[in-house]
Amino acid sequence: MQFVAVVLLSFWACCSHGAELHRLHWSENVQTKLDPLTLKQHAPPSGNIVQLAEKLGAKTLVKLVKDAGLQGALSGKGPFTVFGPTDKAFKALPKAVLDLLMANKTALQEVLKYHVILGDIFSSQLKNNLIASSLQGAPIRVNIYKDGKVITASGCEVILPDQNATNGVIHVVDKVLFPVPVGTIVGTAVANHDFRTLVLAVTKASLTGALSAKGPFTVFAPTNEAFSKLPPGAFDRLLHNVTELTQVLLYHVVNGSFYSAGLSNGDVKTLNGKSVTIKLNHDAGVLVNTARVVIADVSTTNGVIHAIDEVLLPPALRQKIMESHTKNLAEPIENLDQLDEHRANPTENIVQLATKLGATTLVKLLQDAGLVGALGGPGPFTVFGPSNQAFNALPNKVIDQLKSNVTALQEVLKYHVISGDVFSSQLKNDMTANSLQGSPIRINIYGTDTKVITADGCKVDLADQNATNGVIHVVDKVLYPIPSGTIVDLAKSDKHFSTLVSLVVKANLAGTLSSAGPFTVFAPTNEAFEKLPADVLNKLVSNVTALGLVLRYHVVQGTVYSAGLVNGEMVPTVNGAKLTVNISSSAGVLINSARVVMADLSTTNGVVHVIDSVLIPPTMWEDLLVPAESSIDEIEETNTAESPRFNILDLADNLGAHTLVQLVQTAGLGSALRYGKGPFTVFGPSDAAFKKLKPEIVMHLLSNVTALKEVLEYHVIAEDVYSSQLKNDLVVKSMQGAGVRVNIYGEKITASGCPISKADQNATNGVIHVLDCVMTSIPTMNAAELVASLKDFKTLKLALQHAGLVNTLSGSGPFTIFAPTDVAFNALPPGMLDHLLHNVTALTQVLTYHVVKGTFYSAGLKSGDVRTVNGKSVKVDVQADGMIKLNGNSYVVWPDTSVSNGVIHSINQVLLPPTFKDISHPSMKNLIMTNKFTKL
């Protein structure tokens, strides 16, 4: 995720005058749109805006205005219109959001200015869907509902209008206007990973342009999880029928902006032409048909989004879509074209085809088991055929046992065979089909865009290999062992689950987990239960209700093998709470903070994944895991490096990294870092580090939990790495997946360019290195890829291609690149760029003069000469204010953009090497004569 680099470089390239022109444009519009004759008589003013807010009891608003340094402005001449949140409104904000705003003055100013409009506008002048630019620059949308009885500003209800001040007017609102809208409906959806499936569908239906238009629109937006609830194959059917897909999508869109305050019981007509039914329910909240609004009032520049938990299907299509997926799971193919496509005139039988596919181990074992004759017969058969690599992955002991016992070998091989030819198009999620061995094989289908098919959790790598007597689906593992019992039976048969079994019986869940299901169980071992703090197990045994809640938190409805687990996915449990899946090459699969130590144990009613820690629902942490008699102050007295008593999260809090702690909890990572076994290494930004963040980054992170989680996971390593182990240009893989590059400059150590101000702070489950900046530039691309992806480097991209340096800068490096922007190239004398592009030797001399071997973030640059790969040196001048000047005339305008093979510093002037001898172009001679560079 290189989003921060892209956002900031784009922001830097923009002219700041646009916002001022936008404000002026709105002021002119107000004078033409609002009729002054409609003004009513209002109460005499009672002080200026700030004084009036104090009298109205808006203590939090006034304090924040003062903290942001806006008191003088809002006490000035004005006039201003302020949508002023109550104290209760500010209290309703997540604590992490409020804390971060209070810690970052610039971000706080941006939010507060979004509540202010130039001019005094009373409620009598407001009109439905009026757009007014705030002092922050983003638009505030005014809506009027219920015959003028309800007025909202960006969805926040005005509960006390027209409070007159000497320099304007305050309209008291019941919520904080946050987050500030920064994109259209489509842009907002694209930025949120929870809407990836919706974005795919909108793109397929060619509706991105329509939903990016002026509008306004109200979109009831199904989440990824909502789409996953559709019957198997339904979404794929829609993707292949654009007409039906468009009807479904338009059934989610209403003309106009309807925030929650404007919704009422009854029917609302959609752009599909049919109506949806709105129901306001005290317990369930807002229902749209049967879909529940799970996140309301997401403001965009062209309307509002309400996230819903089900896809809305128009009445005319609902029955058609649902019924087409309720037929027998193994129904025969009736479409002759489809049948011809599958059969494609095969010439080999099952055994001959397996040989042709290279499955020599499978064929040899079939011969040993005496099954070649049967599988060479008329059939038809469906064979899930393991590759040679799949058999090689089996423990030698298992292979030896099978080879020495023909009956057992026959049983295992027959378990891979189904009677009848069943092609992939006929397979459906959680379909079970009896094998020739007698036990059922469970089919699962995961994903929407790119499907993954599994048989008992074994991934189908090559489907529909047609034979004269059936079909082979090549799988990546051997279907072994054969499931012989339910989840409870499996647990009872293994002594490592004796504690789990006794607790399941105690909670009266044995019957449930022995039923048809299917279920996915994350099963803690006896050792996992032993790791629980003292008395927790006793608490659970003595409280069956609490025990049931904890056990249900380990159970997911449906069969989710490893192939179906998605990194970052939130998986709902039968407890009602969700589990977080984290997958990395270093840590493997983590469920919350518990590591999966053995995966994909098939049972007749689902699958079991063995985990090394007990999962505790977030709502029960405090009751079960926090000792009442201990406090942070008491623990601090005895916490030492040799005998740490703090976990990672509590240690961070004790070190004063309060913003980090709040954001970690907001992102849903608190349980992993507090209760996870680890060990973890956390590069923990201080509160001061978060204060340095640019306001546009702060707004992006606060309004996008997915992005916030990625940034925070980039600060965590799934092992304990102390400063004594760190080496220059060491790259360690983060929980987010991208590498954190460590550099050592003298006594200074940096992580992705951020200096470590306090190293080796030891915790019970890892170590913290305190940083003085936030690592927001996540290196997901190499240098050449990043240059190619950013619009400000179009000329540099072209130059690298002409010089044949793209592959070099895609190499392992590491490199430090002083990258000239398009503005820098445009500043060259007329004709020089064209001259360079037609002279590869000269161009290469210039470009390689911008590249230094090794990784030098700004923290590692110091005044003096730095040798480039051109062979000549660039003169670096690190100035007192932190600005970096190169060769006396080029400035680093955006430093420290991390890439996977080094770092990029954007510069505003092209660097010309002092030994540059290509003076055949007049502009070059002119440069020499005017001493802009020196000829040696």
Side-chain angles (χ1 to χ4, degrees), residues 464-708:
D464 301 331
Q465 301 304 296
N466 203 17
T468 55
N469 62 340
V471 61
I472 296 177
H473 304 295
V474 181
V475 290
D476 68 346
K477 288 185 288 186
V478 180
L479 279 66
Y480 182 87
I482 300 171
S484 57
T486 65
I487 289 168
V488 174
D489 294 331
L490 174 69
K492 284 182 177 180
S493 69
D494 191 326
K495 63 181 181 181
H496 295 97
F497 297 128
S498 58
T499 304
L500 176 62
V501 170
S502 65
L503 294 176
V504 166
V505 172
K506 178 78 175 177
N508 296 316
L509 291 175
T512 301
L513 293 178
S514 298
S515 64
F519 305 107
T520 299
V521 174
F522 297 101
T525 60
N526 296 344
E527 186 179 355
F529 281 103
E530 289 169 5
K531 292 190 321 191
L532 285 173
D535 297 330
V536 169
L537 197 54
N538 291 335
K539 288 181 183 179
L540 291 174
V541 171
S542 63
N543 186 334
V544 175
T545 302
L547 175 62
L549 288 171
V550 170
L551 292 176
R552 289 185 181 93
Y553 191 54
H554 293 74
V555 183
V556 174
Q557 189 78 40
T559 316
V560 188
Y561 285 92
S562 298
L565 293 173
V566 178
N567 187 40
E569 186 178 15
M570 302 287 285
V571 182
T573 67
V574 297
N575 161 294
K578 292 183 179 181
L579 299 169
T580 302
V581 178
N582 285 295
I583 303 173
S584 71
S585 57
S586 54
V589 178
L590 292 178
I591 307 299
N592 289 358
S593 60
R595 194 184 308 272
V596 174
V597 293
M598 187 179 296
D600 298 337
L601 300 180
S602 293
T603 69
T604 55
N605 65 337
V607 62
V608 173
H609 302 289
V610 184
I611 55 176
D612 66 354
S613 301
V614 179
L615 305 170
I616 303 295
T619 55
M620 301 178 71
W621 291 340
E622 187 171 352
D623 291 339
L624 290 177
L625 296 174
V626 180
E629 66 276 7
S630 298
S631 69
I632 292 296
D633 293 336
E634 291 168 342
I635 295 173
E636 185 177 3
E637 295 175 4
T638 56
N639 189 74
T640 64
E642 295 75 20
S643 302
R645 293 193 62 197
F646 287 127
N647 58 58
I648 288 284
L649 207 61
D650 288 339
L651 177 59
D653 206 28
N654 187 53
L655 290 170
H658 306 304
T659 306
L660 173 64
V661 172
Q662 289 292 331
L663 293 176
V664 163
Q665 291 172 332
T666 298
L669 300 174
S671 62
L673 295 181
R674 175 169 276 138
Y675 304 118
K677 180 180 178 182
F680 306 106
T681 296
V682 174
F683 295 101
S686 63
D687 281 2
F690 280 103
K691 288 181 182 178
K692 295 178 188 176
L693 282 178
K694 297 289 183 181
E696 57 268 25
I697 297 181
V698 174
M699 304 304 245
H700 180 79
L701 295 179
L702 291 181
S703 61
N704 190 326
V705 175
T706 304
L708 174 63

Side-chain angles (χ1 to χ4, degrees), residues 836 841-850 870 910-913 916:
L836 288 173
T841 302
L843 179 63
T844 303
Q845 287 184 51
V846 171
L847 292 176
T848 55
Y849 189 56
H850 291 76
N870 165 290
V910 177
L911 304 173
L912 295 172
F916 198 76

